[in-house]
Coordinates of all heavy atoms in Angstrom, one line a residue:
G1 N 5.2 7.0 22.5 CA 3.7 6.8 22.7 C 3.2 5.7 21.8 O 3.9 5.1 21.1
Q2 N 1.9 5.5 21.9 CA 1.3 4.4 21.2 C 0.8 4.9 19.9 O -0.4 5.2 19.7 CB 0.1 3.8 22.0 CG 0.6 3.1 23.2 CD 0.0 1.6 23.3 OE1 -0.9 1.3 22.6 NE2 0.7 0.8 24.0
E3 N 1.7 5.1 18.9 CA 1.3 5.6 17.6 C 0.8 4.5 16.8 O 1.4 3.4 16.7 CB 2.4 6.3 17.0 CG 2.8 7.6 17.8 CD 4.2 8.0 17.4 OE1 4.4 8.7 16.4 OE2 5.2 7.6 18.1
A4 N -0.2 4.7 16.0 CA -0.7 3.6 15.1 C -0.3 4.1 13.7 O -0.4 5.3 13.3 CB -2.2 3.4 15.2
F5 N 0.1 3.1 12.8 CA 0.4 3.4 11.5 C -0.4 2.7 10.5 O -1.0 1.6 10.8 CB 2.0 3.0 11.3 CG 2.9 3.8 12.0 CD1 3.3 3.5 13.3 CD2 3.3 5.1 11.5 CE1 4.2 4.4 14.0 CE2 4.2 5.9 12.2 CZ 4.6 5.5 13.5
Q6 N -0.5 3.2 9.3 CA -1.3 2.8 8.2 C -0.4 2.8 6.9 O 0.3 3.8 6.8 CB -2.6 3.6 8.0 CG -3.4 3.4 6.8 CD -4.1 2.0 6.8 OE1 -4.7 1.6 7.8 NE2 -4.0 1.3 5.7
W7 N -0.6 1.8 6.0 CA 0.0 1.8 4.8 C -0.9 2.4 3.7 O -2.1 2.1 3.7 CB 0.5 0.4 4.4 CG 1.7 0.0 5.3 CD1 1.6 -0.5 6.6 CD2 3.0 0.0 4.9 NE1 2.9 -0.7 7.1 CE2 3.8 -0.4 6.0 CE3 3.7 0.4 3.8 CZ2 5.2 -0.5 6.0 CZ3 5.1 0.3 3.7 CH2 5.8 -0.1 4.9
F8 N -0.3 3.1 2.7 CA -1.0 3.7 1.7 C -0.4 3.5 0.3 O 0.8 3.3 0.3 CB -1.0 5.3 1.9 CG -1.6 5.8 3.2 CD1 -0.9 5.8 4.3 CD2 -3.0 6.2 3.2 CE1 -1.5 6.3 5.6 CE2 -3.5 6.6 4.4 CZ -2.8 6.6 5.5
Y9 N -1.1 3.5 -0.7 CA -0.6 3.4 -2.1 C -1.1 4.6 -2.9 O -2.2 5.1 -2.6 CB -0.9 2.1 -2.8 CG -2.3 1.8 -3.0 CD1 -3.0 2.1 -4.2 CD2 -3.1 1.2 -2.0 CE1 -4.3 1.9 -4.3 CE2 -4.4 0.9 -2.1 CZ -5.0 1.3 -3.3 OH -6.4 1.0 -3.5
E10 N -0.3 5.0 -3.9 CA -0.5 6.2 -4.7 C -1.7 6.0 -5.6 O -1.7 5.1 -6.4 CB 0.7 6.5 -5.4 CG 0.7 7.6 -6.4 CD 2.0 7.5 -7.2 OE1 2.6 6.5 -7.5 OE2 2.4 8.6 -7.6
G11 N -2.6 7.0 -5.6 CA -3.6 7.1 -6.6 C -3.4 8.4 -7.4 O -2.3 9.0 -7.3
R12 N -4.4 8.8 -8.2 CA -4.3 10.1 -8.9 C -4.6 11.2 -7.9 O -5.7 11.2 -7.3 CB -5.3 10.3 -10.0 CG -4.9 9.6 -11.3 CD -6.0 9.6 -12.3 NE -7.1 8.7 -11.9 CZ -8.3 8.7 -12.5 NH1 -8.5 9.4 -13.6 NH2 -9.2 7.9 -12.1
H13 N -3.6 12.1 -7.6 CA -3.8 13.2 -6.7 C -4.2 12.8 -5.3 O -5.1 13.3 -4.7 CB -4.8 14.2 -7.2 CG -4.6 14.6 -8.7 ND1 -3.5 15.2 -9.1 CD2 -5.4 14.4 -9.8 CE1 -3.6 15.3 -10.5 NE2 -4.7 14.9 -10.9
G14 N -3.6 11.8 -4.8 CA -3.9 11.4 -3.4 C -3.5 9.9 -3.1 O -3.1 9.2 -4.0
W15 N -3.7 9.6 -1.9 CA -3.3 8.3 -1.4 C -4.6 7.5 -1.0 O -5.6 8.0 -0.6 CB -2.5 8.4 -0.1 CG -1.2 9.1 -0.3 CD1 -0.9 10.5 -0.2 CD2 0.0 8.5 -0.7 NE1 0.3 10.7 -0.5 CE2 1.0 9.6 -0.8 CE3 0.5 7.3 -1.1 CZ2 2.3 9.4 -1.2 CZ3 1.8 7.0 -1.4 CH2 2.7 8.1 -1.5
W16 N -4.5 6.2 -1.3 CA -5.4 5.2 -0.8 C -4.9 4.4 0.3 O -3.8 3.9 0.2 CB -5.9 4.2 -1.9 CG -6.6 4.8 -3.1 CD1 -6.1 5.2 -4.4 CD2 -8.0 5.2 -3.2 NE1 -7.0 5.7 -5.2 CE2 -8.2 5.7 -4.5 CE3 -9.0 5.0 -2.3 CZ2 -9.5 6.1 -4.9 CZ3 -10.2 5.5 -2.8 CH2 -10.5 6.0 -4.0
E17 N -5.7 4.1 1.3 CA -5.3 3.1 2.3 C -5.4 1.7 1.8 O -6.3 1.4 1.0 CB -6.3 3.2 3.5 CG -6.2 4.4 4.4 CD -7.1 4.3 5.7 OE1 -7.7 3.2 5.9 OE2 -7.2 5.3 6.3
Y18 N -4.4 0.9 2.1 CA -4.5 -0.6 1.9 C -5.7 -1.0 2.7 O -6.0 -0.6 3.8 CB -3.2 -1.3 2.3 CG -2.2 -1.2 1.2 CD1 -1.3 -0.2 1.3 CD2 -1.9 -2.2 0.3 CE1 -0.2 -0.1 0.3 CE2 -1.0 -2.2 -0.7 CZ -0.1 -1.1 -0.6 OH 0.9 -1.0 -1.6
D19 N -6.3 -2.1 2.2 CA -7.4 -2.8 3.0 C -6.8 -3.3 4.3 O -5.6 -3.6 4.4 CB -8.1 -3.9 2.2 CG -7.2 -5.1 2.0 OD1 -7.1 -5.9 3.0 OD2 -6.7 -5.3 0.9
P20 N -7.6 -3.5 5.3 CA -7.1 -3.9 6.7 C -6.2 -5.1 6.6 O -5.1 -5.2 7.4 CB -8.3 -4.1 7.5 CG -9.3 -3.2 6.9 CD -9.0 -3.3 5.3
R21 N -6.5 -6.2 5.9 CA -5.7 -7.4 5.8 C -4.3 -7.1 5.2 O -3.3 -7.5 5.7 CB -6.4 -8.5 5.1 CG -5.7 -9.9 5.2 CD -6.2 -10.9 4.2 NE -6.0 -10.3 2.8 CZ -4.9 -10.4 2.1 NH1 -3.8 -11.0 2.7 NH2 -4.8 -10.0 0.9
A22 N -4.4 -6.5 4.0 CA -3.1 -6.1 3.4 C -2.3 -5.2 4.3 O -1.0 -5.4 4.4 CB -3.4 -5.4 2.1
N23 N -2.9 -4.3 5.0 CA -2.2 -3.4 5.9 C -1.5 -4.1 7.0 O -0.4 -3.9 7.3 CB -3.2 -2.3 6.5 CG -2.5 -1.3 7.3 OD1 -1.7 -0.5 6.8 ND2 -2.8 -1.4 8.6
A24 N -2.2 -5.1 7.5 CA -1.6 -5.9 8.7 C -0.5 -6.7 8.2 O 0.6 -6.9 8.9 CB -2.7 -6.8 9.2
D25 N -0.6 -7.3 7.0 CA 0.5 -8.0 6.4 C 1.7 -7.2 6.2 O 2.9 -7.5 6.4 CB 0.1 -8.7 5.1 CG -0.9 -9.8 5.3 OD1 -1.1 -10.3 6.5 OD2 -1.4 -10.3 4.3
L26 N 1.5 -6.0 5.6 CA 2.6 -5.0 5.3 C 3.3 -4.6 6.6 O 4.5 -4.6 6.7 CB 2.1 -3.8 4.6 CG 1.8 -4.0 3.1 CD1 1.2 -2.8 2.5 CD2 3.1 -4.4 2.3
E27 N 2.5 -4.2 7.6 CA 3.0 -3.8 8.9 C 3.9 -4.9 9.6 O 4.9 -4.6 10.1 CB 1.9 -3.3 9.8 CG 2.4 -2.6 11.1 CD 3.2 -1.3 10.9 OE1 3.3 -0.8 9.8 OE2 3.7 -0.8 11.9
A28 N 3.4 -6.1 9.5 CA 4.1 -7.2 10.1 C 5.4 -7.5 9.4 O 6.5 -7.7 10.1 CB 3.2 -8.5 10.0
A29 N 5.4 -7.4 8.1 CA 6.6 -7.6 7.3 C 7.6 -6.4 7.6 O 8.8 -6.7 7.8 CB 6.4 -7.6 5.8
F30 N 7.1 -5.2 7.7 CA 8.0 -4.1 8.0 C 8.6 -4.2 9.4 O 9.8 -4.0 9.6 CB 7.1 -2.8 7.9 CG 7.9 -1.6 8.3 CD1 8.7 -0.9 7.4 CD2 7.7 -1.0 9.6 CE1 9.3 0.3 7.7 CE2 8.4 0.2 9.9 CZ 9.2 0.7 9.0
L31 N 7.8 -4.6 10.4 CA 8.3 -4.7 11.8 C 9.2 -5.8 11.9 O 10.1 -5.8 12.8 CB 7.1 -4.8 12.7 CG 6.3 -3.5 12.9 CD1 5.0 -3.8 13.8 CD2 7.0 -2.3 13.3
A32 N 9.1 -6.8 11.1 CA 10.1 -8.0 11.1 C 11.3 -7.7 10.4 O 12.2 -8.5 10.3 CB 9.4 -9.2 10.5
G33 N 11.4 -6.4 9.7 CA 12.6 -6.1 9.0 C 12.8 -6.6 7.7 O 13.8 -6.6 7.1
E34 N 11.7 -7.1 7.1 CA 11.7 -7.7 5.8 C 11.9 -6.6 4.8 O 11.5 -5.5 4.9 CB 10.5 -8.6 5.5 CG 10.6 -9.9 6.4 CD 9.3 -10.7 6.5 OE1 8.5 -10.5 5.6 OE2 9.2 -11.4 7.5
S35 N 12.5 -7.0 3.6 CA 12.7 -6.0 2.6 C 11.6 -5.9 1.5 O 11.5 -5.0 0.8 CB 14.0 -6.3 1.9 OG 14.0 -7.6 1.2
K36 N 10.8 -7.0 1.6 CA 9.6 -7.0 0.6 C 8.5 -7.8 1.1 O 8.7 -8.6 2.1 CB 10.1 -7.5 -0.8 CG 10.6 -8.9 -0.7 CD 11.2 -9.2 -2.1 CE 12.0 -10.5 -2.1 NZ 11.4 -11.7 -1.8
A37 N 7.3 -7.6 0.6 CA 6.1 -8.4 0.9 C 5.4 -8.7 -0.4 O 5.4 -7.9 -1.3 CB 5.3 -7.6 1.9
E38 N 4.8 -9.8 -0.4 CA 3.9 -10.2 -1.6 C 2.5 -10.3 -1.1 O 2.2 -10.9 -0.1 CB 4.3 -11.5 -2.2 CG 5.6 -11.4 -3.1 CD 5.8 -12.6 -4.0 OE1 5.0 -13.5 -4.0 OE2 6.8 -12.5 -4.7
L39 N 1.6 -9.6 -1.9 CA 0.2 -9.5 -1.5 C -0.7 -10.0 -2.6 O -0.4 -9.5 -3.8 CB -0.2 -8.2 -1.0 CG 0.5 -7.6 0.2 CD1 0.0 -6.1 0.5 CD2 0.2 -8.4 1.4
L40 N -1.7 -10.8 -2.4 CA -2.8 -11.0 -3.4 C -3.9 -10.1 -3.1 O -4.5 -10.2 -2.1 CB -3.2 -12.4 -3.3 CG -4.1 -13.1 -4.4 CD1 -3.4 -13.0 -5.7 CD2 -4.4 -14.4 -4.0
I41 N -4.1 -9.2 -4.1 CA -5.2 -8.2 -3.9 C -6.1 -8.3 -5.0 O -5.8 -8.0 -6.2 CB -4.6 -6.8 -3.8 CG1 -3.6 -6.6 -2.6 CG2 -5.6 -5.7 -3.8 CD1 -2.8 -5.4 -2.5
A42 N -7.4 -8.6 -4.7 CA -8.4 -8.8 -5.8 C -7.9 -9.7 -6.9 O -8.0 -9.3 -8.1 CB -8.9 -7.4 -6.3
G43 N -7.3 -10.8 -6.6 CA -6.8 -11.7 -7.6 C -5.5 -11.3 -8.3 O -5.1 -12.1 -9.2
C44 N -4.9 -10.3 -7.9 CA -3.7 -9.7 -8.6 C -2.6 -9.8 -7.6 O -2.7 -9.4 -6.4 CB -3.9 -8.2 -9.0 SG -3.4 -7.9 -10.6
L45 N -1.5 -10.3 -8.0 CA -0.2 -10.5 -7.1 C 0.6 -9.2 -7.2 O 1.0 -8.8 -8.3 CB 0.5 -11.7 -7.5 CG 1.5 -12.3 -6.5 CD1 0.9 -12.6 -5.2 CD2 2.2 -13.5 -7.0
Y46 N 0.9 -8.6 -6.1 CA 1.7 -7.4 -6.0 C 2.9 -7.7 -5.1 O 2.9 -8.4 -4.1 CB 0.9 -6.3 -5.3 CG -0.2 -5.7 -6.3 CD1 -1.5 -6.2 -6.2 CD2 0.2 -4.8 -7.2 CE1 -2.5 -5.7 -7.0 CE2 -0.8 -4.3 -8.1 CZ -2.1 -4.7 -8.0 OH -3.1 -4.3 -8.8
L47 N 4.0 -7.1 -5.5 CA 5.3 -7.1 -4.7 C 5.4 -5.7 -4.2 O 5.3 -4.7 -4.9 CB 6.5 -7.4 -5.7 CG 7.8 -7.3 -5.0 CD1 8.0 -8.3 -3.9 CD2 9.0 -7.3 -6.0
I48 N 5.6 -5.6 -2.9 CA 5.8 -4.3 -2.3 C 7.3 -4.3 -1.7 O 7.7 -5.1 -0.9 CB 4.8 -4.0 -1.1 CG1 3.4 -3.7 -1.7 CG2 5.2 -2.7 -0.4 CD1 2.6 -5.0 -1.8
D49 N 8.1 -3.4 -2.3 CA 9.4 -3.2 -1.9 C 9.5 -2.2 -0.7 O 9.2 -1.0 -0.8 CB 10.2 -2.5 -3.1 CG 11.7 -2.2 -2.7 OD1 12.0 -2.1 -1.6 OD2 12.4 -1.9 -3.7
L50 N 9.7 -2.8 0.5 CA 9.6 -2.1 1.7 C 10.8 -1.1 2.0 O 10.8 -0.3 2.9 CB 9.5 -3.0 2.9 CG 8.2 -3.9 2.8 CD1 8.2 -5.0 3.9 CD2 6.9 -3.1 2.9
H51 N 11.8 -1.2 1.2 CA 12.9 -0.2 1.3 C 12.8 0.8 0.2 O 12.9 2.0 0.5 CB 14.3 -1.0 1.1 CG 14.6 -1.9 2.2 ND1 15.5 -2.9 2.1 CD2 14.2 -2.0 3.5 CE1 15.6 -3.5 3.3 NE2 14.8 -3.0 4.2
G52 N 12.5 0.4 -1.0 CA 12.3 1.4 -2.1 C 10.9 2.1 -2.0 O 10.6 3.0 -2.7
M53 N 10.0 1.5 -1.1 CA 8.7 2.0 -0.9 C 7.9 2.2 -2.2 O 7.5 3.3 -2.6 CB 8.7 3.4 -0.1 CG 9.2 3.3 1.3 SD 8.3 2.1 2.3 CE 7.1 3.2 3.0
M54 N 7.8 1.0 -2.9 CA 7.1 1.0 -4.2 C 6.3 -0.3 -4.3 O 6.8 -1.4 -3.8 CB 8.2 1.0 -5.3 CG 7.7 1.4 -6.7 SD 7.2 3.1 -6.8 CE 8.8 3.9 -6.9
Q55 N 5.2 -0.2 -4.9 CA 4.4 -1.4 -5.2 C 4.5 -1.7 -6.7 O 4.3 -0.9 -7.5 CB 2.9 -1.1 -4.8 CG 2.0 -2.2 -5.3 CD 0.5 -1.9 -5.1 OE1 0.0 -1.8 -4.0 NE2 -0.3 -1.6 -6.1
Y56 N 4.7 -3.1 -7.0 CA 4.8 -3.5 -8.4 C 3.7 -4.5 -8.6 O 3.5 -5.5 -7.8 CB 6.2 -4.1 -8.6 CG 7.3 -3.2 -8.4 CD1 7.9 -3.0 -7.2 CD2 7.8 -2.4 -9.6 CE1 9.0 -2.1 -7.0 CE2 8.8 -1.5 -9.4 CZ 9.5 -1.4 -8.2 OH 10.5 -0.5 -8.0
N57 N 3.1 -4.4 -9.7 CA 2.1 -5.5 -10.2 C 2.9 -6.6 -10.8 O 3.6 -6.3 -11.8 CB 1.1 -4.8 -11.2 CG 0.1 -5.8 -11.7 OD1 0.3 -7.0 -11.8 ND2 -1.1 -5.3 -11.9
K58 N 2.9 -7.8 -10.2 CA 3.8 -8.8 -10.7 C 3.5 -9.3 -12.1 O 4.3 -9.9 -12.8 CB 3.7 -10.0 -9.7 CG 4.5 -9.7 -8.4 CD 5.0 -10.9 -7.6 CE 6.3 -11.3 -8.2 NZ 6.9 -12.5 -7.4
N59 N 2.2 -9.1 -12.6 CA 1.9 -9.4 -13.9 C 2.4 -8.4 -14.9 O 2.5 -8.7 -16.1 CB 0.4 -9.5 -14.1 CG -0.2 -10.7 -13.3 OD1 0.4 -11.8 -13.3 ND2 -1.4 -10.5 -12.7
D60 N 2.8 -7.2 -14.4 CA 3.2 -6.2 -15.3 C 4.0 -5.1 -14.5 O 3.5 -4.1 -14.0 CB 1.9 -5.4 -15.9 CG 2.4 -4.4 -16.9 OD1 3.5 -4.1 -17.1 OD2 1.4 -3.9 -17.6
P61 N 5.3 -5.5 -14.2 CA 6.0 -4.7 -13.2 C 6.2 -3.2 -13.5 O 6.6 -2.4 -12.7 CB 7.4 -5.4 -13.2 CG 7.1 -6.8 -13.6 CD 6.0 -6.6 -14.7
G62 N 5.9 -2.9 -14.9 CA 5.9 -1.5 -15.2 C 4.8 -0.7 -14.5 O 4.9 0.5 -14.4
K63 N 3.8 -1.4 -14.1 CA 2.7 -0.7 -13.3 C 3.1 -0.6 -11.8 O 3.0 -1.6 -11.1 CB 1.4 -1.5 -13.5 CG 0.9 -1.4 -14.9 CD -0.5 -2.1 -15.0 CE -1.0 -1.8 -16.5 NZ -2.3 -2.5 -16.7
R64 N 3.7 0.4 -11.5 CA 4.2 0.6 -10.1 C 3.6 1.8 -9.5 O 3.2 2.8 -10.2 CB 5.7 0.7 -10.1 CG 6.3 1.8 -11.0 CD 7.8 1.8 -10.9 NE 8.3 3.1 -11.2 CZ 9.6 3.4 -11.0 NH1 10.4 2.7 -10.5 NH2 9.9 4.7 -11.3
R65 N 3.5 1.8 -8.2 CA 2.9 2.9 -7.4 C 3.8 3.1 -6.2 O 4.3 2.2 -5.6 CB 1.5 2.5 -6.9 CG 0.5 2.3 -8.0 CD -0.8 1.7 -7.4 NE -1.7 1.4 -8.5 CZ -2.6 2.3 -8.9 NH1 -2.8 3.5 -8.4 NH2 -3.5 1.9 -9.9
T66 N 4.0 4.4 -5.9 CA 4.7 4.8 -4.6 C 3.8 4.3 -3.5 O 2.6 4.4 -3.5 CB 4.9 6.3 -4.6 OG1 5.7 6.6 -5.7 CG2 5.6 6.7 -3.3
V67 N 4.4 3.9 -2.4 CA 3.7 3.5 -1.2 C 4.3 4.4 0.0 O 5.4 4.9 -0.1 CB 3.7 2.1 -0.8 CG1 3.2 1.2 -2.0 CG2 5.0 1.6 -0.4
K68 N 3.5 4.5 1.1 CA 4.0 5.2 2.3 C 3.4 4.6 3.5 O 2.4 4.0 3.4 CB 3.8 6.7 2.2 CG 2.3 7.1 2.4 CD 2.1 8.6 2.6 CE 0.7 8.9 2.8 NZ 0.5 10.3 3.3
R69 N 4.1 4.7 4.6 CA 3.7 4.3 5.9 C 3.5 5.6 6.7 O 4.5 6.4 6.9 CB 4.7 3.4 6.6 CG 4.4 3.0 8.0 CD 5.4 2.0 8.5 NE 5.2 1.4 9.8 CZ 5.8 1.9 10.9 NH1 6.6 2.9 10.9 NH2 5.4 1.3 12.1
D70 N 2.3 5.9 7.1 CA 2.1 7.2 7.8 C 1.1 7.0 8.9 O 0.7 5.9 9.2 CB 1.4 8.1 6.7 CG 1.6 9.6 7.0 OD1 2.0 10.0 8.2 OD2 1.4 10.4 6.1
R71 N 0.9 8.0 9.7 CA 0.0 7.9 10.8 C -1.4 7.6 10.4 O -1.9 8.0 9.4 CB 0.0 9.3 11.6 CG 1.4 9.8 12.0 CD 2.0 9.0 13.1 NE 1.2 9.2 14.3 CZ 1.3 10.2 15.1 NH1 2.1 11.2 14.9 NH2 0.4 10.3 16.2
V72 N -2.1 6.9 11.3 CA -3.5 6.6 11.0 C -4.2 8.0 11.1 O -3.9 8.8 12.0 CB -4.0 5.6 12.1 CG1 -5.6 5.7 12.2 CG2 -3.5 4.2 12.0
G73 N -5.1 8.2 10.2 CA -5.9 9.4 10.2 C -5.4 10.5 9.3 O -6.1 11.5 9.1
V74 N -4.3 10.4 8.6 CA -3.8 11.4 7.7 C -4.8 11.4 6.5 O -5.4 10.4 6.2 CB -2.4 11.3 7.3 CG1 -1.5 11.4 8.5 CG2 -2.1 10.0 6.5
A75 N -4.9 12.5 5.8 CA -5.8 12.7 4.7 C -5.6 11.6 3.6 O -4.4 11.3 3.3 CB -5.7 14.0 4.1
C76 N -6.6 11.1 3.0 CA -6.5 10.1 2.0 C -7.8 10.1 1.2 O -8.8 10.7 1.6 CB -6.2 8.7 2.5 SG -7.4 7.9 3.4
K77 N -7.8 9.3 0.1 CA -9.0 9.2 -0.8 C -10.1 8.3 -0.3 O -11.2 8.4 -0.7 CB -8.5 8.9 -2.2 CG -7.5 9.9 -2.9 CD -7.2 9.5 -4.3 CE -8.3 9.8 -5.2 NZ -7.9 9.7 -6.7
G78 N -9.6 7.3 0.4 CA -10.5 6.3 0.9 C -9.7 4.9 1.1 O -8.5 5.0 1.3
V79 N -10.4 3.9 1.1 CA -9.8 2.5 1.4 C -9.9 1.6 0.3 O -11.0 1.3 -0.2 CB -10.4 1.9 2.7 CG1 -9.8 0.6 3.1 CG2 -10.5 2.9 3.9
A80 N -8.7 1.2 -0.3 CA -8.6 0.3 -1.3 C -9.6 0.6 -2.5 O -10.3 -0.3 -3.0 CB -8.9 -1.1 -0.8
G81 N -9.7 1.8 -2.9 CA -10.5 2.2 -4.0 C -12.0 2.6 -3.6 O -12.7 3.0 -4.5
I82 N -12.3 2.4 -2.3 CA -13.7 2.8 -1.9 C -13.6 4.2 -1.2 O -12.9 4.3 -0.2 CB -14.2 1.8 -0.9 CG1 -14.1 0.4 -1.4 CG2 -15.7 2.1 -0.5 CD1 -14.9 0.0 -2.6
R83 N -14.3 5.1 -1.8 CA -14.3 6.5 -1.3 C -15.3 6.5 -0.1 O -16.3 5.7 0.0 CB -14.8 7.5 -2.3 CG -13.8 7.7 -3.4 CD -14.3 8.7 -4.5 NE -13.3 9.1 -5.4 CZ -12.4 10.0 -5.2 NH1 -12.4 10.7 -4.1 NH2 -11.5 10.3 -6.1
P84 N -15.1 7.4 0.9 CA -16.0 7.5 2.0 C -17.4 7.9 1.5 O -17.5 8.6 0.5 CB -15.4 8.6 2.9 CG -14.3 9.2 2.2 CD -14.0 8.3 1.0
A85 N -18.4 7.3 2.2 CA -19.8 7.6 1.8 C -20.2 9.1 1.9 O -19.6 9.8 2.8 CB -20.7 6.8 2.6
Ligands
V3L101 N1 -5.2 -2.2 -3.2 C1 -6.4 -2.2 -3.9 N2 -6.5 -2.0 -5.2 C2 -5.4 -1.8 -5.9 C3 -4.0 -1.8 -5.2 C4 -4.1 -2.0 -3.8 N3 -2.9 -2.0 -3.1 N4 -3.1 -1.6 -6.2 C5 -3.7 -1.5 -7.3 N5 -5.0 -1.6 -7.2 P1 -2.2 -1.5 -11.1 P2 -7.5 6.9 -8.7 C6 -6.7 1.9 -7.8 C7 -6.1 -1.5 -8.3 O1 -1.3 -0.6 -10.2 O2 -8.7 7.6 -9.2 C8 -7.5 2.6 -6.7 O3 -7.7 1.7 -5.6 C9 -6.1 -0.1 -8.8 O4 -7.1 0.6 -8.0 O5 -2.0 -1.1 -12.6 O6 -6.4 6.8 -9.8 C10 -8.8 2.9 -7.4 O7 -9.8 1.9 -7.2 C11 -6.5 -0.3 -10.2 O8 -7.9 -0.2 -10.4 O9 -2.0 -2.9 -10.8 O10 -6.9 7.5 -7.4 C12 -8.4 3.1 -8.9 O11 -7.0 2.8 -8.9 C13 -6.0 -1.7 -10.5 O12 -5.8 -2.4 -9.3 C14 -8.5 4.6 -9.3 O13 -7.9 5.4 -8.3 C15 -4.8 -1.8 -11.4 O14 -3.7 -1.1 -10.7

């Protein structure tokens, strides 16, 4: 079927959706079979390990977050730090 997928990163007690542009970049890299993607998010460079399913802050790789690819519409905290109104 035509399932749609969304990428999420870990917050405190829940998941945040990546913003639409970052999500599109991650999905394209994933579908191309790439092992990693680099994203510039709010002036910060992040490495996303698409096999290990982990996001690393390139300025401080100790700052890492679990990521997941899940169905569009699953429960989450909001989009890229913005909670629903
Ligand atoms: N997209 C947007 N902002 C991000 C991302 C991302 N992929 N990764 C990190 N940040 P770090 P709670 C998050 C932000 O990992 O209450 C949430 O979006 C990150 O924002 O050390 O813990 C919320 O805005 C953080 O502010 O590089 O669930 C906020 O945390 C900053 O970059 C609180 O969320 C440093 O993260």
Side-chain angles (χ1 to χ4, degrees):
Q2 292 235 342
E3 297 160 83
F5 291 93
Q6 169 70 46
W7 288 79
F8 300 84
Y9 61 95
E10 174 191 30
R12 277 175 294 171
H13 313 298
W15 297 93
W16 293 101
E17 290 185 6
Y18 280 88
D19 73 75
R21 187 196 58 82
N23 185 65
D25 288 352
L26 285 172
E27 185 67 5
F30 176 82
L31 292 177
E34 288 165 22
S35 60
K36 58 186 166 64
E38 282 196 359
L39 297 178
L40 190 61
I41 297 169
C44 225
L45 197 56
Y46 289 95
L47 173 71
I48 292 86
D49 175 347
L50 299 172
H51 293 161
M53 297 302 271
M54 196 72 75
Q55 171 185 289
Y56 298 90
N57 184 324
K58 290 203 80 173
N59 293 323
D60 186 353
K63 291 187 173 170
R64 59 181 205 167
R65 296 169 185 268
T66 302
V67 306
K68 69 169 183 170
R69 179 178 182 259
D70 206 343
R71 306 286 300 277
V72 164
V74 299
C76 70
K77 300 183 77 169
V79 182
I82 311 295
R83 290 179 173 278

